[in-house]
Amino acid sequence: MEDKLILAIESSCDETAAAVVKNGRGVLSNVISSQIALHTLYGGVVPEIASRKHVEKIIPVIHEALKEAQVKKEELDAIAVTYGPGLVGALLVGVNAAKAMAFALDKPLIGVHHIEGHVAANFIEHPDLEPPFACLVVSGGHTHLIEVLDYGHFNIIGHTRDDAAGEAFDKVARAIGLGYPGGPKIDKKAKEGNPEAIPFPKAKVNDAPYDFSFSGLKSAVLNYLNHAKMAGETVNDADLAASFQKAVVDVLTEHSMAFVKERGYKKFAAAGGVASNSALRASLENACRKAGVDFYVPSPILCTDNAAMIGCAGYYEFLKGARAGLDLNAVPNLKLGER
Ligand code: KG4
Ligand code: ZN
């Protein structure tokens, strides 16, 4: 088959990103313009500011991706873009840029589900990985245990009943004054602390062994902080970060392994921003090794938001014949498994 070159665009949250991907798994360029420094001032992503920054960056980022890949826009076979879930004003910038390019160049347009992209990040670095496999998706907005039955075809086994794992990291980081983005800051802080110092609860959801709940854990952390404040005690932030992180990592690992064993999967992958957490990677890798299961996880830069993963997912949608019309719209609350 002839080589297929896809330009992919991602703007669902606070990264403006574009990539050129060859035949699904070959990344020719992966340009990410992060707005993190801008949102740090406000302690979290400000949607209006995110949209404005995307507008400013989208064209230069696309140009850079094409230049780095040494690909002319006329040589592209398709344009893939994240159309949900995410912040509507942010998504619209990428979707409209992609539509304009598809129209002007007369190339097919492919709408990609953001989470399908996160899962696909695994295909980029693991050429041998093919569905079916089990996967834990952990990002700022999602915590799902899924079966990847085929490319872009998922069966959801468990999900969070309240906060997503990344959201819990961000909220706890804010509470202990580490700021935004919380995940990487807690990851770093935890390295200096004792994970056994504070016994935080590992929330279980009754009768749903594969579902998650993190709001109870978050409240336990806040209560711990309040008690310490009332009693005039100083809190060891590193111990707190390490203990909180352990509670999250343990529950993610236990549910994942129970599911993998029950279904007899021999391949297990992790995906999403929280999959860049060093303790989670080590814990899942260790548990998989003990269980004789092959473990896959993208390198950290492909775990957090990027366009290469959208290009990869877009390629498999392209092969299946999926084509979006120029009426493609941003869908902020697009569900996993929906198209
Ligand atoms: O996948 P992602 O980049 O964006 C979404 O689709 O949500 O994930 C962002 C989330 C944030 O909540 C961030 O705090 C978390 O992933 N995150 C981490 C780490 N790096 C990013 N959480 C824990 N440890 C990390 N090293
Ligand atoms: Zn994401």
Side-chain angles (χ1 to χ4, degrees):
M1 196 173 68
E2 239 181 90
D3 284 344
K4 295 289 177 216
L5 290 172
I6 295 193
L7 171 75
I9 299 171
E10 154 67 43
S11 70
S12 64
C13 190
D14 58 351
E15 329 277 352
T16 320
V20 178
V21 174
K22 183 173 164 180
N23 300 330
R25 300 189 188 215
V27 179
L28 303 188
S29 64
N30 187 22
V31 178
I32 305 169
S33 168
S34 174
Q35 308 178 356
I36 285 178
L38 200 64
H39 298 290
T40 301
L41 287 171
Y42 306 94
V45 179
V46 184
E48 182 64 18
I49 295 179
S51 315
R52 284 164 190 249
K53 204 69 191 164
H54 283 309
V55 170
E56 204 176 301
K57 292 285 179 192
I58 194 84
I59 307 278
V61 163
I62 291 171
H63 276 303
E64 203 177 323
L66 288 166
K67 193 170 146 208
E68 222 175 80
Q70 298 189 322
V71 166
K72 293 193 190 65
K73 51 189 186 304
E74 294 75 20
E75 293 170 323
L76 296 168
D77 292 284
I79 318 285
V81 63
T82 305
Y83 74 106
L87 301 169
V88 67
L91 288 164
L92 277 170
V93 177
V95 166
N96 282 311
K99 289 204 281 195
M101 282 192 76
F103 178 65
L105 298 166
D106 196 20
K107 307 279 183 193
L109 176 69
I110 302 158
V112 176
H113 192 297
H114 182 75
I115 297 300
E116 186 179 340
H118 274 303
V119 174
N122 275 291
F123 299 133
I124 294 173
E125 283 182 336
H126 306 295
D128 55 319
L129 179 62
E130 280 180 39
F133 57 91
C135 184
L136 172 70
V137 181
V138 269
S139 72
H142 286 76
T143 305
H144 278 88
L145 257 179
I146 62 173
E147 293 177 291
V148 181
L149 302 171
D150 199 352
Y151 294 101
H153 184 195
F154 309 119
N155 186 25
I156 299 171
I157 301 297
H159 67 279
T160 180
R161 296 292 181 94
D162 38 63
D163 292 352
E167 210 177 337
F169 270 94
D170 294 336
K171 286 178 178 170
V172 167
R174 191 174 308 157
I176 53 176
L178 291 178
Y180 169 85
K185 299 226 164 122
I186 288 199
D187 195 345
K188 194 161 167 232
K189 195 77 183 168
K191 290 195 166 80
E192 305 154 18
N194 173 11
E196 311 291 344
I198 310 161
F200 285 126
K202 272 186 272 173
K204 300 271 177 207
V205 180
N206 284 343
D207 304 326
Y210 302 130
D211 278 356
F212 302 95
S213 166
F214 294 109
S215 70
L217 171 60
K218 178 191 64 192
S219 303
V221 173
L222 297 180
N223 285 341
Y224 181 88
L225 286 168
N226 278 338
H227 279 295
K229 200 171 163 190
M230 307 276 267
E233 293 161 8
T234 47
V235 171
N236 182 326
D237 287 352
D239 282 352
L240 189 138
S243 303
F244 158 76
Q245 180 173 270
K246 182 181 182 331
V248 176
V249 166
D250 283 356
V251 89
L252 291 173
T253 306
E254 283 164 22
H255 288 201
S256 298
M257 295 323 292
F259 162 56
V260 163
K261 283 178 194 161
E262 191 210 82
R263 304 283 166 120
Y265 274 104
K266 287 286 161 214
K267 292 186 280 184
F268 174 75
V274 183
S276 58
N277 181 271
S278 58
L280 179 62
R281 296 166 82 91
S283 169
L284 291 173
E285 188 173 3
N286 188 30
C288 283
R289 186 169 2 92
K290 280 192 193 144
V293 171
D294 291 332
F295 175 57
Y296 303 86
V297 66
S299 57
I301 189 69
L302 287 176
C303 285
T304 44
D305 289 349
N306 66 87
M309 68 184 195
I310 302 303
C312 179
Y315 171 76
Y316 290 104
E317 292 299 331
F318 178 83
L319 291 188
K320 282 193 271 181
R323 301 288 183 269
L326 290 175
D327 57 351
L328 180 70
N329 203 356
V331 184
N333 54 1
L334 187 64
K335 299 277 175 299
L336 194 59
E338 249 175 34
R339 280 210 65 79

